[in-house]
Amino acid sequence: MINLSSEIRFLKGVGEKRAKTLNNLGIDTVGALLRYYPRCYENFSDIKRIDECSFEEKICIKARIISPITEQYIRKNMTIFRFNVFDGSSAMTVTIFNNKYLANKLNEGSTYLFFGKITGTAYKPQMSSPEIREIENGGIRPVYPASFAVSSATIEKLMLNALLCEIPETLPQSIIENYGLCDLKFALKNIHFPYSSEALETAKKRLVFEELFVLQTGLMLLKGKRKIKTDCVISLDYTDEFLSLLPFDLTHAQTRAINECVFDMKSGYAMNRLIEGDVGSGKTAVATALMYITARNGLQSALMAPTEVLATQHYHTVSSMLYGTGINVCLLTGSTTKKQKAEIKEKIISKEFDIVIGTHAIITEDTVFNNLGLVITDEQHRFGVAQRYALSSKGNKPHTLVMSATPIPRTLGLIIYGDLDLSVIDEYPKGRQVIETYCVESSLHKRIYTFIKKHLDEGRQGYIVCPLVEENEEIPIKSAEEYFEELSGGEFKNYRLGLLHGKLKPKEKDKIMSDFAKGEIDLLISTTVIEVGIDVPNAAIMVIENAERFGLSQLHQLRGRIGRGQYKSTCILVSDSKGENTKRRLDVIKNNRDGFKIADEDLALRGPGDFLGNRQHGLPELKIADIFANRDTLKLCGMAAANVLENDPKLKKDENSLLRQEIIHLYKKLNEN
Ligand code: ADP
Ligand code: MG
């Protein structure tokens, strides 16, 4: 008898070959198949006539194939199958792309259900890539994310077989009762074959709850379990010695963060900590302190940055802070030559270098360390959890520190970084200038230029940031390149201008950034490449063109590039957009300095849409829940998870054994890394 953990190849209807294609969809067991939820549903019970239906609306046609199925080879990986169907009212042409398997199964003369949009003309109606079903399979049908190798209809058939298995309940009974959830069997049956739309809602509610509950319980367990013993012990604290190297005093918040880290690193357990500090709060100095202390204790450190520009900047900052201390720092990035790389790697192994700074890919690749004690990732929101663990596997359970100016609302941050301990730097270095922010229309450009020049004449530097322009864009807006041409030949011909954009080679970018840092460029025209981390304290003015095109968190990050030194700084947001929403968004930036506040407002204004976008946030992949849309459920689940763990901290009790399995299953992918 097969059960949910049986391999998928043992399910009725699955042979070796199909098992492979299912594996490619991530389906390895019968249970995994049942958790392969429909992408959407289509109503095959509401059948329309071809001659009566409106175009561009998805409808269901019941029609007979009245021609042979022709196959047309277009190019590699592209074959079109075509045939005509007739439903008693009219004929239409159906096309299928690439799906040979489906085409082979259809028979001329047989009748099928076709679900899709009718296009073409009233005389020559067409339907492209419809969902096709045999007529006995009418009703509300699930539509699965299918591949060319296995169709949605096939998955549907297999699903029926899988649902015959016994389906044990995964959630503890108390949770089901307290939160009014349906049982798993009902939920799975109805998510695939909804009996009614209410039943579907009930099923969804339960599955969303379950997923978020498993996610959160898992994170809480992970956090508890992350107390891993390590030999990388920092025995002596050299913080005071480090302080004497600095030209400034650390803020209380910086000192506290360092102390919290040192405490972890002395404990005999591997540190696993997140430092959350807003833009400009001075995270680099904290990182340098910790790497210094680590080096003094005879261990190596690695510092990873998301971009080459940033890695290079860190390299310069760190090496100059540690100048004359005998601690050696090296830089590894994409533009390090092969020969240099080999040399540097030799010296890392032989321990001539104590601190390795670089871009993520380069450090993780094949660099071998000699007693790696500390791994730091900067601007972590760009990396995922799995990546974070990848580097940790390099050493012998090194301490890990993640630094982020998280533009994520706090509640969500806690979940996303739930497996980390948290230090917050909630204070800016002394003497930090408030950045004045203005929103203006582009008709004021003359005055803006005069204003910029006044600052440049006083010895300051500035940025003009332009949005990325897509090539086929309809609205004419200026790209950084065009803007640079225009200004350097006109308005700013007596100043030293630089141009920075993503298409430059890393070497060219670095050259421009370092010229700007050295003060050899007065005004930098740039795209958002400067968004992350760049630190030039003499820059006191920033103009952001077409500001409506940027996200709020992005504007905040950009603005964080100025106001970093002792000079009063100004940020000018230029926008001609008249939209009410744009105005409100720009006002949020104008009136707030706190990145967390801005993230919250951003979420409120944008709604639960794609706040995180496709950004890697390192959570296991969710199948049905949406952290934003379901954030109320998320809260409930957090409480529920805490409750369950309070009564059974390691989930060893019988009633929680299936829950435990689900957690292991969800996090399996992460553990593999
Ligand atoms: P972020 O947290 O955004 O990464 P950085 O580490 O780049 O910020 O620091 C921003 C700037 O503040 C740098 O120029 C740095 O030298 C300076 N800085 C950091 N800490 C202090 C401090 N305690 N006092 C004065 N300046 C500081
Ligand atoms: Mg930084």
Side-chain angles (χ1 to χ4, degrees), residues 60 62 79 97 116 119 147 171 177 250 253 300 310 314 345 395 398 409 414 446 452 462 518 539 541 576 638 648:
C60 184
K62 181 177 171 185
T79 311
F97 296 93
T119 56
S147 71
L171 291 178
E177 276 162 24
L250 291 180
Q300 287 178 325
L310 200 55
H314 280 330
K345 286 183 180 177
L414 272 183
K446 263 263 166 286
I452 298 178
K518 279 186 265 170
I541 179 143
D576 289 333
D648 186 8

Side-chain angles (χ1 to χ4, degrees), residues 435-453:
I435 305 172
E436 301 249 14
T437 304
Y438 301 96
C439 305
V440 304
E441 292 185 4
S442 64
S443 58
L444 290 182
H445 261 123
K446 263 263 166 286
R447 282 175 62 187
I448 297 174
Y449 295 147
T450 311
F451 186 78
I452 298 178
K453 282 182 200 162

Side-chain angles (χ1 to χ4, degrees), residues 398-434:
H399 301 287
T400 56
L401 179 66
V402 162
M403 302 196 295
S404 175
T406 316
I408 292 172
R410 256 176 230 277
T411 41
L412 297 169
L414 272 183
I415 291 149
I416 290 168
Y417 299 119
D419 60 323
L420 301 172
D421 294 314
L422 181 68
S423 294
V424 179
I425 308 187
D426 50 3
E427 191 184 348
Y428 293 99
K430 259 205 235 63
R432 203 35 73 77
Q433 295 296 325
V434 177

Side-chain angles (χ1 to χ4, degrees), residues 572-591:
I572 301 173
L573 307 172
V574 184
S575 175
D576 289 333
S577 167
K578 295 279 179 297
E580 195 43 40
N581 202 33
T582 304
K583 194 175 161 330
R584 254 186 291 159
R585 280 159 41 83
L586 296 185
D587 276 348
V588 169
I589 291 291
K590 196 172 123 189
N591 302 328

Side-chain angles (χ1 to χ4, degrees), residues 273-563:
R273 187 170 280 278
L274 167 69
I275 292 189
E276 229 176 33
D278 206 351
V279 185
S281 61
K283 295 184 287 290
T284 317
V286 172
T288 313
L290 295 168
M291 294 193 290
Y292 179 80
I293 295 166
T294 305
R296 277 276 182 264
N297 281 275
L299 301 171
Q300 287 178 325
S301 308
L303 171 59
M304 304 188 295
T307 64
E308 185 148 355
V309 172
L310 200 55
T312 311
Q313 175 186 290
H314 280 330
Y315 171 72
H316 292 305
T317 310
V318 175
S319 0
S320 62
M321 271 191 203
L322 302 185
Y323 181 76
T325 58
I327 289 171
N328 297 318
V329 187
C330 68
L331 176 68
L332 271 180
T333 70
S335 48
T336 316
T337 62
K338 255 203 170 137
K339 193 159 157 255
Q340 287 170 322
K341 248 183 231 166
E343 246 167 63
I344 292 175
K345 286 183 180 177
E346 273 304 306
K347 290 187 175 171
I348 294 174
I349 298 174
S350 66
K351 240 180 163 188
E352 272 170 74
F353 286 123
D354 310 285
I355 295 177
V356 183
I357 296 178
T359 42
H360 187 278
I362 304 301
I363 297 190
T364 29
E365 237 173 35
D366 57 351
T367 311
V368 181
F369 290 88
N370 182 342
N371 221 350
L372 180 63
L374 171 65
V375 173
I376 303 179
T377 38
D378 191 18
E379 307 296 345
Q380 169 66 27
H381 60 271
R382 302 234 164 172
F383 301 122
V385 175
Q387 274 180 306
R388 195 199 299 155
Y389 294 140
L391 192 63
S392 312
S393 64
K394 291 253 161 191
N396 192 11
K397 307 193 189 83
H399 301 287
T400 56
L401 179 66
V402 162
M403 302 196 295
S404 175
T406 316
I408 292 172
R410 256 176 230 277
T411 41
L412 297 169
L414 272 183
I415 291 149
I416 290 168
Y417 299 119
D419 60 323
L420 301 172
D421 294 314
L422 181 68
S423 294
V424 179
I425 308 187
D426 50 3
E427 191 184 348
Y428 293 99
K430 259 205 235 63
R432 203 35 73 77
Q433 295 296 325
V434 177
I435 305 172
E436 301 249 14
T437 304
Y438 301 96
C439 305
V440 304
E441 292 185 4
S442 64
S443 58
L444 290 182
H445 261 123
K446 263 263 166 286
R447 282 175 62 187
I448 297 174
Y449 295 147
T450 311
F451 186 78
I452 298 178
K453 282 182 200 162
K454 182 174 146 267
H455 281 79
L456 301 188
D457 292 342
E458 285 167 5
R460 300 289 78 72
Q461 291 163 280
Y463 300 96
I464 295 183
V465 185
C466 306
L468 279 180
V469 187
E470 305 285 332
E471 267 174 22
N472 50 2
E473 198 128 21
E474 283 167 22
I475 320 144
I477 66 165
K478 269 181 215 145
S479 68
E481 287 98 322
E482 286 168 317
Y483 214 50
F484 174 78
E485 292 302 324
E486 184 183 317
L487 293 186
S488 55
E491 204 58 58
F492 287 88
K493 63 173 179 293
N494 298 324
Y495 296 84
R496 297 164 300 174
L497 263 54
L499 171 66
L500 190 69
H501 56 74
K503 279 172 262 161
L504 295 177
K505 299 217 176 69
K507 270 228 167 81
E508 299 169 319
K509 269 190 230 167
D510 283 344
K511 168 94 173 69
I512 291 175
M513 262 337 290
S514 68
D515 287 352
F516 187 70
K518 279 186 265 170
E520 288 165 10
I521 291 174
D522 303 309
L523 184 60
L524 189 63
I525 321 288
S526 168
T527 58
T528 51
V529 261
I530 58 157
E531 178 190 345
V532 181
I534 298 302
D535 182 44
V536 180
N538 190 42
I541 179 143
M542 173 175 285
V543 176
I544 302 179
E545 298 287 343
N546 296 90
E548 74 281 354
R549 295 198 152 216
F550 297 89
L552 288 192
S553 298
Q554 207 175 16
L555 287 173
H556 177 63
Q557 287 279 336
L558 284 169
R559 180 175 57 181
R561 301 306 114 221
I562 55 171

